[in-house]
Amino acid sequence: MNHSSVSSGSPSPAARTGDAVRRMTARSRDEEHRASTPLELFFDLCFVVAVAQAGGRLVHAIADGHAGHGVAGYFLLFFAIWWAWMNFSWFASAYDTDDVPYRVTTLVQIVGVLLLAAGVPRGFDDGDFQLVAIGYAVMRLALVTQWLRAARSAEGEDAAGARKTAVRYAIGVTACQAGWMVLLLPHGAPPGWAFLVLAAAELVVPPLAERAAPTSWHPHHIAERYGLFTIIVLGESVAAATVAVQSAVDEHSALGDLLPIAAGGLLIVFSAWWIYFAVPIHDYLVSNRQAFLWGYGHYAVFTSAAAIGAGLEIAVEQAVGSGDISLRTAAWSVTIPTAVFLFTVWLLHSRHSKHGVAQQLTLPVAALGVLACAWTGEHAVLWAGLVCAGAVAVGVALQAREPV
């Protein structure tokens, strides 16, 4: 499916500074030097709070022997975080006007993020998702007002299609949000099947809405936005692991036991960064079909990247004897999310630029190798880090052998 702009495009906000209110017409997909704005970066940083809350509760659940409950709650809450972030990012790529109403509405969405983050502990511990539901509603309904504004501002040859797409988005998001409020506002954890139904409904809104006319998202901008959020999530993993090591050293003076975990964790995170950014992806994002699969697949990339940090915290707690955590559980807590990250980055990202069997197999084989590290005992994290670093080294060597 070929992707075309909803309209012929409009000047970038930088070219129209000083306007308090602008028409929210689609930006050009061919706009040069399109980069993330300071407001988008601020928006991303505020999401770190919610990511940290979800990861922290996952650690506590596993440490208390409730791994199943913790993993399920983590995936549920991270879906709300990821989906709200993703919807804002794709909308902004097509319609960012950077005027006063747009900025205020985005700041309102940030308030919703903070409310959701504040509700994470109650949702995890008590099954009370009321505050999570309210925060999610603030984020989503603020986005509805943006879509309605885009519908009202549509102009040009494709105005009818653009207006229909925007209205479909507004209706779809509102309908899903009504379902979430019914599901989450009553006290008590929602049934799993109901969550899956509403999550599926959320996922089908964009494909259905864009049948009328595709929005003019910018491939370079989208690739940068996803890359920046990946960096933020990996950074949160580093921060979480650092705090865990510091606390363990302060309370248990177990530096010798923690050095292999710290070294392995850094190798994993450094390798994850290297692997994700080894090749540009914007040239692959040429249609809605490819972009939707790539964008949706990043749910696994983001959840696994954040879970690496949680796993490192669990490994630290096991090493110092805090909590009821077995050696194998601690190892799986790091190796599983690391393997998922390696495989999904290859599946979504890297394989499109790989040539030959050796290059294609490097990351899948490394993912299997990382999983096998769970059987290496107390140094599982260090071995997993060495496998990841080895995958990077092999990838660099194979790329260097290619003819220029």
Side-chain angles (χ1 to χ4, degrees):
M1 167 176 134
N2 292 330
H3 189 99
S4 60
S5 294
V6 172
S7 75
S8 59
S10 57
S12 67
R16 299 173 293 158
T17 55
D19 298 334
V21 180
R22 308 177 182 122
R23 290 188 62 82
M24 186 172 272
T25 53
R27 296 180 64 160
S28 172
R29 194 167 187 265
D30 299 322
E31 184 180 322
E32 295 183 359
H33 309 299
R34 181 71 193 277
S36 298
T37 66
L39 181 59
E40 287 175 319
L41 298 177
F42 184 47
F43 186 84
D44 290 355
L45 287 173
C46 292
F47 267 82
V48 172
V49 179
V51 171
Q53 286 280 20
R57 304 320 291 182
L58 175 62
V59 172
H60 290 308
I62 294 178
D64 292 340
H66 306 297
H69 170 75
V71 171
Y74 175 76
F75 281 124
L76 186 154
L77 289 165
F78 209 101
F79 177 85
I81 297 167
W82 162 76
W83 189 244
W85 175 87
M86 196 176 85
N87 276 235
F88 165 79
S89 297
W90 287 81
F91 175 87
S93 190
Y95 287 105
D96 182 4
T97 56
D98 200 32
D99 60 359
V100 171
Y102 179 86
R103 289 186 175 193
V104 171
T105 305
T106 302
L107 294 175
V108 170
Q109 289 177 275
I110 290 175
V111 172
V113 175
L114 301 179
L115 288 172
L116 185 149
V120 167
R122 295 170 63 183
F124 251 99
D125 300 338
D126 305 324
D128 180 2
F129 290 90
Q130 291 182 351
L131 191 54
V132 170
I134 293 171
Y136 190 66
V138 171
M139 289 188 286
R140 304 296 282 150
L141 294 179
L143 183 64
V144 169
T145 67
Q146 299 276 49
W147 280 116
L148 292 176
R149 185 183 172 199
R152 187 172 61 252
S153 301
E155 61 184 17
E157 295 181 0
D158 297 326
R163 188 174 298 109
K164 185 180 294 185
T165 296
V167 170
R168 285 181 178 180
Y169 266 112
I171 293 173
V173 172
T174 301
C176 290
Q177 186 54 51
W180 287 118
M181 297 300 284
V182 171
L183 179 66
L184 297 178
L185 276 184
H187 185 75
W193 64 266
F195 168 79
L196 293 176
V197 168
L198 280 174
E202 291 270 21
L203 293 174
V204 301
V205 169
L208 291 178
E210 303 223 2
R211 285 184 177 180
T215 52
S216 59
W217 50 268
H218 195 288
H220 287 79
H221 179 247
I222 285 295
E224 182 186 26
R225 297 289 292 116
Y226 274 74
L228 290 171
F229 199 72
T230 300
I231 290 175
I232 286 174
V233 174
L234 289 174
E236 170 56 31
S237 290
V238 173
T242 301
V243 171
V245 170
Q246 178 186 351
S247 299
V249 170
D250 291 343
E251 297 175 11
H252 302 279
S253 301
L255 183 59
D257 295 330
L258 300 177
L259 282 178
I261 297 174
L266 285 177
L267 286 175
I268 290 171
V269 174
F270 291 170
S271 300
W273 171 85
W274 191 299
I275 289 166
Y276 187 91
F277 292 99
V279 294
I281 195 63
H282 57 264
D283 289 336
Y284 171 73
L285 305 178
V286 297
S287 72
N288 268 6
R289 180 178 180 276
Q290 291 167 318
F292 280 148
L293 291 174
W294 180 84
Y296 283 9
H298 269 71
Y299 174 69
V301 174
F302 293 154
T303 52
S304 60
I308 289 171
L312 292 173
E313 288 190 68
I314 292 167
V316 168
E317 293 202 12
Q318 191 281 328
V320 298
S322 298
D324 184 20
I325 308 171
S326 68
L327 188 61
R328 186 61 53 81
T329 298
W332 282 124
S333 298
V334 177
T335 58
I336 289 178
T338 302
V340 170
F341 181 90
L342 294 176
F343 183 77
T344 52
V345 169
W346 168 79
L347 185 65
L348 298 171
H349 214 78
S350 303
R351 67 184 177 91
H352 304 297
S353 62
K354 300 297 183 182
H355 307 289
V357 175
Q359 285 193 11
Q360 288 290 2
L361 289 180
T362 298
L363 289 181
V365 170
L368 292 175
V370 167
L371 288 176
C373 290
W375 280 273
T376 59
E378 61 182 5
H379 295 315
V381 176
L382 178 59
W383 280 111
L386 291 172
V387 170
C388 291
V392 172
V394 170
V396 171
L398 291 174
Q399 189 175 18
R401 291 170 55 186
E402 289 187 348
V404 179

